[in-house]
Amino acid sequence: MASSTLRNPRRSSRPLYQKYLRFSNGLFMGLCVASTLLILAILAMVMLYLLSRGFTHISLDFFTKVEIAEGMAGSPGGMSHALVGTGILIGLASVVGIPLGMLAGIYLSEYSSNSWLGAPTRFIADVLSGVPSIVVGILGYELIVVPVGNANGYAGALALAFIMIPIVARTTEEMVRLVPNSYREASIALGATKARTILRVVLPTASGSIITGIMLAVARVAGETAPLLFTAGASRFMTFDPQQPFPSLTVAIFLFSTGPFKDQQQLAWAGILILIGLIFLLNLVVRLTVHRVQSRRFAGA
Amino acid sequence: MKQSVMSADGPPQRAIDMSGQAMPNRSPRVQQSIHGAGEKRRAPSLGHLEAVAEDESTTVTHEALETESPVVEIDNFSLYYGAKQALFNVSMNVPHGKVTSMVGPSGCGKSTLLRSVNRLNDLIDHVRTEGSMRYGGMDIYSRNINVIELRKSLGMVFQKPNPFPMSIFENVVYPLRIDGEKRKNVLMEVCERSLRGAALWDEVKDRLHESALGMSGGQQQRLCIARAVAASPDVLLMDEPCSALDPIATAKIEDLIQELKGEYTILIVTHNMQQAARTTDYTAFMYLGRLIEYGPTLDMFTKPRCRQTEDYMTGRFG
């Protein structure tokens, strides 16, 4: 405590106000801590519940067998077809969605300053990333599944890509914007073209946060059910042909959990746990690699 | 071409009194342009200096510059940021193989002029230029010029050290990388030569593959010089290269400038008058977007011909 002679006499004459300041200061921090704890508690409860319901039903069969119809020997089988299906769907969606989204993001950040196209694109991207995914599913159904004649993997992948693009575009834009302009100037002044500056300096500098953003988009679509329900449809077979109805973990979970059979419902619980585990793993791996790369790049900064 | 005002008299040749009236020894042309200066915008604190700065469209260029062969010729160059004019009819020749400094109070257009030479102002929207600027006989602002090649010939060092977030090695060889050079031995050779040229080799030769951002500010700035030199330019443009550095790092950069002199033509913007006096051959004094006086550094400090130059050099304002 500072000696009273050092204190501003005007302030020290208002002890009640000092008390109020201390109280409100503590109250604000208390509210923040309490909210954080509440969220953590809810998350922990959900995870524990999932673990208790699903963990006992995870077996080797889950990863090796496909769905076996009720009443047949070995039912309910496993979800290997759905795991592979989700993997392929996400892969295809990424191949389409990530480059398109990134290029659009780069346009927004680096090229649109003089164009009338920038602001509307940004706005539309924001609106699109808020569109309910069921809408995307119906759209994919109308535009692809109906003309083709059957549900198919490509339609599902495109629907997922459609969800990814605005997210990836906006993340890329924001992250590329954060790159200091002095890097661009240095590169341009050395005689680099704008494209080379972007590819060699700007993108590598922002790569860590762009990759994190992309992975969040991938994780988001990995858990989507509604757009796949109408586009990829469902399949109980292991398939690698995206022209056919395509299995996915989320749709399989949906069908199993809403069905009447106890053992399939239990399989669905296991599936949910695996899905969350996969997303968790994906994030962890990306974060660790990004951290390693970044720390080498920015060491000492 | 530029208008030189020859004078045998000592400074200050164009002194005027506080009321804005011309003194008896003024040339008629200058006298004429004094009238009408009063109505223009006027910064009240600068008093009589303002009158001179506002009306002068001519630059006092010392005769010594006429014996030099110019690398960059700036002729009646004006630049606008949107509606705001930042440079007013600047005419100056940057002599080959010499160190030329540009001094003047903040916002006088020194950096803008420097960034106009390698057309870095292209990156800013709504910039418009008038007049001409020539490098090696080519019009820098002509439609046909290859800006990329131009910038490779005009290396630039910035106010704040701006190494890329890459290894020291990759920073130095960046100019070669963008040309698609992949041969390891060529890259290594240029890297060593450039780092030696920037007096940095001995300090970093054991950690070429560590991040450049782990270096000290002074080392980073010398790395930026090495990077500029690696592109083998003719001219080095330096925009207050020492303003973010401590005195020891500044001294090293100044030594480096002395070593680079002759091999490169150096155009340097500085706020540090001692630095200009110590390291440069010629000095240009700019004020409010105009080039006021341009001559040998020694003369600019000891016998300037304009009152404003004298006042600024002696620290009376700015």
Side-chain angles (χ1 to χ4, degrees), chain A residues 62-102:
Chain A
F62 182 94
F63 298 102
T64 55
K65 291 193 173 150
V66 298
E67 179 186 345
I68 295 168
E70 206 59 29
M72 293 181 70
S75 89
M79 293 180 101
S80 65
H81 62 302
L83 275 172
V84 171
T86 289
I88 293 176
L89 284 176
I90 291 175
L92 285 174
S94 302
V95 166
V96 178
I98 292 174
L100 280 179
M102 278 183 70

Side-chain angles (χ1 to χ4, degrees), chain A residues 113-114 182-183 185-193 196-197 200-201 205 296-301, chain B residues 115 118 120 125 148 151-152 154 156 158 162-166 174-175 177-178 211 213-214 227-228:
Chain A
S113 67
N114 262 333
S182 62
Y183 292 167
E185 286 188 340
S187 174
I188 294 284
L190 285 165
T193 58
R196 270 181 204 266
T197 300
R200 282 197 170 267
V201 177
T205 304
R296 216 173 46 224
R297 197 168 247 283
F298 292 96
Chain B
R115 294 162 59 97
N118 67 349
L120 210 58
D125 297 335
I148 300 300
R151 290 190 182 128
K152 282 178 185 162
L154 305 169
M156 190 162 199
F158 294 82
N162 55 0
F164 301 126
M166 308 170 182
Y174 183 81
R177 288 270 191 220
I178 56 178
S211 169
L213 301 185
R227 188 175 63 186

Side-chain angles (χ1 to χ4, degrees), chain A:
Chain A
M1 206 53 200
S3 77
S4 58
T5 51
L6 287 175
R7 291 166 97 195
N8 183 333
R10 193 173 54 83
R11 287 207 198 127
S12 59
S13 67
R14 296 160 67 193
L16 208 66
Y17 182 67
Q18 292 297 321
K19 221 172 197 170
Y20 163 73
L21 271 187
R22 267 201 301 279
F23 173 73
S24 63
N25 191 27
L27 181 71
F28 183 73
M29 190 187 82
L31 283 174
C32 293
V33 171
S35 306
T36 309
L37 289 179
L38 184 71
I39 294 167
L40 277 180
I42 293 172
L43 275 177
M45 270 164 58
V46 170
M47 288 306 292
L48 281 176
Y49 185 69
L50 285 181
L51 273 173
S52 70
R53 292 299 296 265
F55 192 72
T56 47
H57 304 295
I58 297 178
S59 61
L60 193 63
D61 281 357
F62 182 94
F63 298 102
T64 55
K65 291 193 173 150
V66 298
E67 179 186 345
I68 295 168
E70 206 59 29
M72 293 181 70
S75 89
M79 293 180 101
S80 65
H81 62 302
L83 275 172
V84 171
T86 289
I88 293 176
L89 284 176
I90 291 175
L92 285 174
S94 302
V95 166
V96 178
I98 292 174
L100 280 179
M102 278 183 70
L103 289 171
I106 292 168
Y107 170 78
L108 287 178
S109 162
E110 305 293 297
Y111 290 102
S112 71
S113 67
N114 262 333
S115 159
W116 55 269
L117 204 58
T121 311
R122 210 165 285 127
F123 179 72
I124 291 170
D126 283 344
V127 171
L128 281 184
S129 52
V131 164
S133 53
I134 186 90
V135 176
V136 179
I138 300 286
L139 210 68
Y141 179 79
E142 279 296 320
L143 295 180
I144 306 174
V145 176
V146 171
V148 169
N150 65 295
N152 60 79
Y154 287 125
L158 284 178
L160 294 185
F162 189 82
I163 297 172
M164 283 175 81
I165 288 170
I167 307 177
V168 173
R170 289 293 272 144
T171 328
T172 307
E173 183 199 354
E174 309 266 320
M175 297 308 143
V176 164
R177 259 181 211 286
L178 290 181
V179 174
N181 223 6
S182 62
Y183 292 167
R184 294 185 185 86
E185 286 188 340
S187 174
I188 294 284
L190 285 165
T193 58
K194 191 160 185 174
R196 270 181 204 266
T197 300
I198 292 169
L199 292 175
R200 282 197 170 267
V201 177
V202 177
L203 279 187
T205 304
S207 61
S209 29
I210 293 178
I211 292 172
T212 309
I214 286 175
M215 280 307 139
L216 289 177
V218 169
R220 154 98 197 268
V221 299
E224 285 291 352
T225 316
L228 293 177
L229 213 51
F230 297 99
T231 51
S235 164
R236 54 177 59 180
F237 308 109
M238 180 71 86
T239 171
F240 299 97
D241 179 8
Q243 289 175 316
Q244 299 301 315
F246 219 67
S248 62
L249 202 52
T250 46
V251 172
I253 289 168
F254 172 72
L255 295 176
F256 284 168
S257 60
T258 52
F261 306 109
K262 189 95 184 138
D263 50 0
Q264 285 194 346
Q265 288 170 9
Q266 287 166 347
L267 205 58
W269 280 112
I272 292 170
L273 201 61
I274 295 293
L275 185 64
I276 289 184
L278 280 179
I279 292 172
F280 179 78
L281 207 70
L282 194 70
N283 270 298
L284 202 69
V285 168
V286 167
R287 260 160 223 272
L288 286 180
T289 35
V290 164
H291 182 75
R292 267 236 317 272
V293 172
Q294 292 292 87
S295 61
R296 216 173 46 224
R297 197 168 247 283
F298 292 96

Side-chain angles (χ1 to χ4, degrees), chain B residues 157 198 221-230 236 238 253 256 260:
Chain B
V157 179
Q221 193 63 300
R222 277 180 286 150
L223 178 69
C224 292
I225 294 175
R227 188 175 63 186
V229 166
L236 282 178
M238 298 185 164
I253 302 272
L256 183 56
L260 295 172

